Each structure stands twice: as C-alpha cells, then as structure tokens.
Amino acid sequence: MPTMESESSIASRAEELKCLANEAFKDHKYSQAIDLYSQAIELNNQNAVYWANRAFAHTKLEEYGSAIHDATKAIEIDSKYSKGYYRRGAALLAMGKFKEALKDFQQVKRLCPNDPDAAKKLKECEKAVMKLKFEEAIAVPEAERRSIAESIDFHSIEVEPQYSGARIEGDTVTLEFVKKMMEDFKNQKCLHKRYAFQIVLQTRELLRALPSLVDITVPDDKHFTVCGDVHGQFYDLIHIFELNGLPSEDNPYLFNGDFVDRGSFSLEVILTLFAFKCMCPSAMYLSRGNHESRSMNKIYGFEGEVKSKLNDTFVELFAEVFCCLPLAHVINEKVFVVHGGLFSVDGVKLSDIRAIDRFCEPPEEGLMCEVLWSDPQHLPGRGPSKRGVGLSFGPDVTERFLQDNNLDLVVRSHEVKDEGYEIEHDGKLITVFSAPNYCDQMGNKGALIRFEAPELKPNIVTFSAVSHPDVKPMAYANNFLRMFS
C-alpha cells in the first residue's frame, strides 16, 4: 500500500501534467496535450477532468471516436460532471449524430439550469434535430432520386453583357480561361453560373467513365505529383501551383480527396481542380475523400458556401458529381494512393477495389467506407478508429496488402501532420497533407510528393501557409457546429 505522502505526491504530479497539457492545448499543440493528459490519467485515472480535457484535445484533431470514449469515461467517473456530457455532445455533433448529441446537451442543461451558454447550445441543437427530421421526412430515397445533372442545360443560361469575368468560348476549357478564373477568384470575384455549370457537368462526364480504381502510367524520365487534403484553402492551392507548376500533360497531379469543407474558399478550390480536369484530363486526377459526401458538406461548410455563392441546384449537382469520383489510384503498378487507408480484412485485391460500386453516398462500413476513413496505427494488427468510423491498421496490415498486390508503397492523406507529411510502417506508408496552417490554427506545414519514373522514389516538398482574405474557416458551416470550433 502506498503511503498517504506518496499518494499525495502522485496526485500532485498528475495535476502538474494536466497544467502542462492545458498550456500545450492553448498553443494548439493538441497531440502533445493528449500525451500529457494521458500521463496524468496513468497516475490518476479517476479524475473526470483529465478524461474530459483529453476528449477536447481529440476533438481538435478530429478524433471523434476517441473523444466520445474519453468523455464517456469522464461521465462514468462523475455522472454530474457537465463538461463530460458537453464534450461528448460536441464530438457526436461533429460526426453528424445530432439526435445522440441532443441527449447530452439536454443533460448539460439539467446540470447547469442557469447557464445561458448551455441553454443557447441546447436550443441550437434542438433546431438542428428538427431540421434533420424535416429533411428526412421529405427526402427522396437514393434509388428513386433523379439525376439533377440531366435536367440542366447550361447553354440556355444567358451571360449578362456587364459580366467581366472569365468566359469559356464554346465547349472547350482552355488554359487561358483557367488562369483568368483563378485570377478572378484571387480577387474574390465569382464565376458566372453558366460556366460553373459547364465545368461541373463536363467533369461529371469524365469521372463517370472512370473505374473505381484508376491506373496511372508515368513514362520514364517523367514525373507525377500527389497532393493531400486542401480543404477549401484556395490561396494555398495557388501557392502549390506557383511552387510546382500548373497542371499539364507534362506536369500531372493527383489531388487525393478532401478538396472542400472547413476552409471557406472550397468552391474556388473545386472549380479550379475541375476546370483543370476539363482542360486536360491526363493533367488532373482526383480521388474521393470522406468530405466529398452530402453529410459532411452539410455540417462542415461546403453546402452553405455553395448556397451563398451560387444556388441550391449546385448543392445537388456537386453531391451527384462527388459520387462519381474514383476511390483509389495505382501509379505504374507500384504505388497505391487512397484518401484514408486499408481494410478490416486481409486478402483485399486491387480487383476488389476496382469492382466497388461507388456511385452512392459513402456507407458506414465495408471497403468503400474504409478507403475513405481508415488511419494507420503504430502497433501491429488492427484497432478501433479514433474517428469513430473505419479502423486503425498496423504496419503488418500494410505489408501484407502490398505483398498481396505486388506493390511497393501506400500513399494516403486524411490526417493533418506537423511537417505536412509522415513516413510510417517501415517506410511503406506515407501520409501527405496539403493544407498548411489547417483551419488557420494548427500551425502545420503542407506537403506534396513528386515521383520520378521509373524509380518512383518519393521526393517530398514542404511549404508554409500563405495569407488569404479575412474570411474565417468554417464561415459557412452548420451554425451549431461553429459554436464549438
């Protein structure tokens, strides 16, 4: 039995660690904060505050599954600890689980009946649930949903004489047009709806014709660039092109999902990427990310941004086109590129991925869900997802997948990294993330990977964030979610 003095000393050390963790959190060093809270929990696992604080740090890293676990633990330790319910409600909300979140915010209100902030958040959550119920009631089942794209005739849309922005002459998207459009976007000017429709509809036709897994051939002595998440950071996208050259047949790119949401220039990002795809399909490859989905866009800003800058029809059109995006790419039969990660079962072949019927909203389990949501872990084997969707997979899982498919390397994105990238799993897996200073607060670098054929040795280039107009991230996000960001 430890003495009273040693128990007091342990408790004191745990509090010191909590204070250090709080400081790291304030400095946006969330991974460091999690490590310090974890050390405090190891010394004293019956302190609800430590668990709730770690839950908050997990939320900041979008690790909502881990946040829910920690907040639930805080509640188990102290059923009257309001912050436990508050943290769990915020994580559930971020996952789009409004009805479950509502129960937690109702409990916060019961525990803190005179707290105006608790009352305000409960009211907003109730509104969100009511809206969700209404949308569910009027929703057309996916099987019966008609294509919005087929009802749009962009040729019939008149361009007003006073419109001075970029114009597409005829049906061909040219480099001159794309440059003019990007310059207009930099100056916060909108593209005419006619041309926006034309770009998105032409991209839809190109994407629909592709398989779910796309093979890319890079000739000897040529190069190929892979970028990770951009998340609506248009001015950083422009910086990538300044550093690495504009997309062309001789300078092709693959953007590996999560083009939109969180950043408040998502429309400019997606129209730019789509325009390059139209201009030269072999210059621009696009993978679906977990944020190219109706549910994510509703919560994290893209839907609100599109309604604000264009109209409701475009919301439906983008949702339809996102379902056409391929799920993975293979470069020269050696490098497997996917947004999220690998699978909950061994033995998955490239042919299984190619056979996925991707023309739908992402399911909550199965191969399609896993390629969009999974993350690597350091330990062998598989574990639960820290996000609450997909899974975590170890170095042995990566090694077996590469062996089974005669591949050399997995490249994925999906996670913010301090240096813009991380090499894991004995060098067999690289994460690349291309949104520097993510959400204007993470302080991370961005990165891109240039592969030179035939060796395909990854050459990683990192870069810092550039300035942008004073529009905050999440400016168009779900009103309730903004209260927690």
Side-chain angles (χ1 to χ4, degrees), residues 80-116:
K80 294 186 177 176
Y81 183 51
S82 62
K83 276 193 178 174
Y85 297 98
Y86 188 95
R87 301 289 184 233
R88 189 170 70 182
L92 287 164
L93 178 74
M95 293 180 71
K97 298 186 175 182
F98 292 100
K99 293 171 188 173
E100 294 95 323
L102 178 61
K103 293 174 187 172
D104 278 333
F105 289 112
Q106 286 170 336
Q107 186 64 15
V108 173
K109 183 71 169 66
R110 283 189 207 104
L111 292 168
C112 309
N114 300 317
D115 182 343

Side-chain angles (χ1 to χ4, degrees), residues 207-214 288 322-329 336-345 348-374 401:
L207 296 175
R208 283 177 74 201
L210 297 171
S212 291
L213 183 146
V214 176
R288 193 172 191 174
F322 286 165
C323 291
C324 301
L325 286 161
L327 302 176
H329 294 75
F336 179 71
V337 189
V338 68
H339 178 72
L342 300 182
F343 308 100
S344 55
V345 292
V348 175
K349 295 294 180 68
L350 296 182
S351 56
D352 298 320
I353 303 165
R354 200 172 276 113
I356 295 171
D357 180 6
R358 72 184 187 277
F359 296 96
C360 60
E361 289 299 317
E364 293 191 10
E365 59 184 13
L367 297 186
M368 182 170 169
C369 170
E370 289 161 6
V371 297
L372 297 177
W373 280 96
S374 293
F401 175 78

Side-chain angles (χ1 to χ4, degrees), residues 286-337:
L286 301 164
S287 276
R288 193 172 191 174
N290 61 302
H291 275 267
E292 278 71 54
S293 74
R294 194 182 289 268
S295 59
M296 291 287 107
N297 297 162
K298 194 175 286 296
I299 300 169
Y300 289 100
F302 185 58
E303 180 179 301
E305 184 180 342
V306 171
K307 285 181 177 180
S308 173
K309 293 176 180 176
L310 290 170
N311 58 35
D312 288 15
T313 303
F314 274 97
V315 172
E316 290 302 310
L317 180 59
F318 276 115
E320 189 175 306
V321 177
F322 286 165
C323 291
C324 301
L325 286 161
L327 302 176
H329 294 75
V330 174
I331 306 170
N332 286 8
E333 301 182 350
K334 291 297 174 191
V335 180
F336 179 71
V337 189

